[in-house]
């Protein structure tokens, strides 16, 4: 899949998940067929201040060729201040988070709060494009509330700023992760931006749902978020389903072996004590 001057292996991607998509999770997802992965969201302000904890989120696993780095902030000047530090990590694509619904992010004006001011995303993307020819992506929601659905206006501002890839989660900020993702709006987004690569997100919890999203909405690709937690197999299974109409179930031995391997990667990157504590959130998904 070509996005600007970049070619990805395919169109099934591990979405950014705060607290989850570290290099260990990305490594296990890649082994099971993810075509590319996105980092946890990274503070543009933290990068501009050369924060060590911020930079730790960007370390790659050995052999990780492609990596989409997601940053968050609330104004264009943060983009210009962080770009030199960001480019040191050689991102394949730079993604701007405009979808996080968490209050500690939105109260600063970042995340999905940006959807209330499309002019800001235009300036943020435009600023990044002035410093690099790396493709810029924007990930966003339907709008702030059901009465403020403005994703088409927001997407237009992003594209006018220079974005070459759009990803939409089919819920509003007010919904958080409740209710049902609206795939009809994903279909409408792609219909309005036929020349831009559009990815869908939201309620992709099985190989069947991923195939259905591609078929029913016409989006170019899928980002797997919660559906991949404890279930990196979903990438390979989706590819099998699309290619053959069926997919192999995962037996218990394979599931446990993958879980152990994932834990060992975390021990390698984080040290044993921290890895054991951090891995608790993955275990429930695996078992």
């Amino acid at each position: 899949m070509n996005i600007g001057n970049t070619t990805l292996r395919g169109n099934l991607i591990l979405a950014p998940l705060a607290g989850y998509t570290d290099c260990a999770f990305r490594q296990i997802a890649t082994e099971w067929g993810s075509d590319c992965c996105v980092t946890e969201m990274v503070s543009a302000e933290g990068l501009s201040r050369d924060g060590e904890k911020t930079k730790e989120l960007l370390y790659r696993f050995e052999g990780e060729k492609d990596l989409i780095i997601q940053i968050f902030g609330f104004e264009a000047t943060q983009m210009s201040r962080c770009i030199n530090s960001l480019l040191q990590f050689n991102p394949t694509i730079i993604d701007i988070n405009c979808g996080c619904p968490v209050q500690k992010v939105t109260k600063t004006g970042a995340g999905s709060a940006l959807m209330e001011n499309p002019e800001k995303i235009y300036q943020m993307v435009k600023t990044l494009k002035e410093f690099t020819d790396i493709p810029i992506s924007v990930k966003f929601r339907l709008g702030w509330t059901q009465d403020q659905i403005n994703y088409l206006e927001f997407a237009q501002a992003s594209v006018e700023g220079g974005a070459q890839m759009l990803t939409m989660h089919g819920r509003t900020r007010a919904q958080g992760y409740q209710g049902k993702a609206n795939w009809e709006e994903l279909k409408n987004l792609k219909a309005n931006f036929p020349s831009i690569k559009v990815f869908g997100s939201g309620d992709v919890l099985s190989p069947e749902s991923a195939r259905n999203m591609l078929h029913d909405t016409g989006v170019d690709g899928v980002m797997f978020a919660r559906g991949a937690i404890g279930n990196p197999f979903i990438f390979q299974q989706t590819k099998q389903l699309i290619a053959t109409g069926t997919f192999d179930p995962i037996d218990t031995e394979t599931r446990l072996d993958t879980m152990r391997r994932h834990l060992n990667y975390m021990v390698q990157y984080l040290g044993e004590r921290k890895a054991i504590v951090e891995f608790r959130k993955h275990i429930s998904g695996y078992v």
Side-chain angles (χ1 to χ4, degrees):
M1 171 172 285
N2 295 320
I3 299 174
N5 57 7
T6 293
T7 301
L8 300 181
R9 289 189 301 270
N11 64 346
L12 304 181
I13 294 178
L14 177 64
L17 284 163
Y20 283 89
T21 50
D22 57 12
C23 55
F25 191 11
R26 299 198 308 269
Q27 184 167 356
I28 208 74
T30 299
E31 290 176 1
W32 277 99
S34 176
D35 293 311
C36 192
C37 301
V38 190
T39 65
E40 302 177 55
M41 62 178 184
V42 177
S43 167
E45 191 65 32
L47 274 175
S48 69
R49 298 175 185 271
D50 208 32
E52 192 58 40
K53 288 188 176 180
T54 299
K55 293 191 293 183
E56 286 177 1
L57 299 174
L58 304 180
Y59 296 153
R60 302 186 185 212
F61 65 81
E62 185 176 353
E64 188 172 23
K65 177 179 177 290
D66 293 323
L67 180 62
I68 300 173
I69 294 179
Q70 187 186 73
I71 58 177
F72 72 96
F74 57 86
E75 61 181 3
T77 57
Q78 291 176 312
M79 303 298 108
S80 60
R81 293 200 304 270
C82 82
I83 190 65
N84 288 335
S85 294
L86 178 59
L87 293 179
Q88 293 177 20
F89 292 90
N90 193 29
T92 305
I93 294 171
I94 299 169
D95 183 69
I96 303 175
N97 182 310
C98 303
C100 179
V102 178
Q103 186 179 11
K104 69 178 181 179
V105 174
T106 59
K107 71 180 181 181
T108 69
S112 55
L114 286 167
M115 297 206 66
E116 295 193 286
N117 191 345
E119 174 62 23
K120 279 195 172 184
I121 194 60
Y122 167 80
Q123 292 294 344
M124 291 166 77
V125 175
K126 185 173 182 291
T127 297
L128 287 173
K129 294 299 290 185
E130 291 173 356
F131 288 91
T132 180
D133 61 356
I134 293 172
I136 307 300
S137 168
V138 180
K139 190 171 188 292
F140 53 99
R141 288 181 171 242
L142 299 178
W144 185 253
T145 67
Q146 199 63 37
D147 296 327
Q148 297 171 288
I149 301 294
N150 66 335
Y151 66 89
L152 288 179
E153 178 188 0
F154 195 81
Q156 185 63 42
S158 301
V159 171
E160 288 178 358
Q164 294 161 294
M165 173 178 164
L166 303 171
T167 302
M168 188 167 77
H169 183 122
R171 291 181 172 88
T172 64
R173 185 271 177 183
Q175 283 181 277
Y177 299 99
Q178 303 300 312
K180 187 177 180 181
N182 191 329
W183 288 8
E184 280 300 311
E185 304 293 11
L186 278 173
K187 182 177 181 179
N188 190 42
L189 177 66
K190 180 57 190 177
N192 277 271
F193 294 90
S195 63
I196 299 293
K197 291 296 189 294
V198 174
F199 279 68
S201 179
D203 291 348
V204 188
L205 304 175
S206 67
E208 294 90 347
S209 59
R211 177 197 58 187
N212 293 344
M213 176 179 279
L214 289 166
H215 179 269
D216 296 347
T217 69
V219 294
D220 301 289
V222 174
M223 279 201 186
F224 297 80
R226 291 175 296 162
I229 296 175
N231 186 31
F233 324 105
I234 197 169
F235 299 98
Q236 178 176 294
Q237 289 177 322
T238 298
K239 291 179 179 181
Q240 288 181 332
L241 180 63
I242 291 171
T244 68
T246 187
F247 61 88
D248 297 329
I250 302 300
D251 59 41
T252 301
E253 183 178 353
T254 301
R255 186 176 299 276
L256 291 175
D257 178 69
T258 302
M259 182 175 70
R260 293 188 190 102
R261 197 162 70 251
H262 186 169
L263 174 57
N264 285 335
Y265 290 152
M266 291 189 73
V267 171
Q268 175 185 338
Y269 299 128
L270 301 176
E272 183 173 305
R273 181 174 180 80
K274 185 175 181 181
I276 293 295
V277 173
E278 290 286 319
F279 196 67
R280 293 173 183 171
K281 62 195 173 192
H282 293 280
I283 287 177
S284 60
Y286 278 109
V287 304

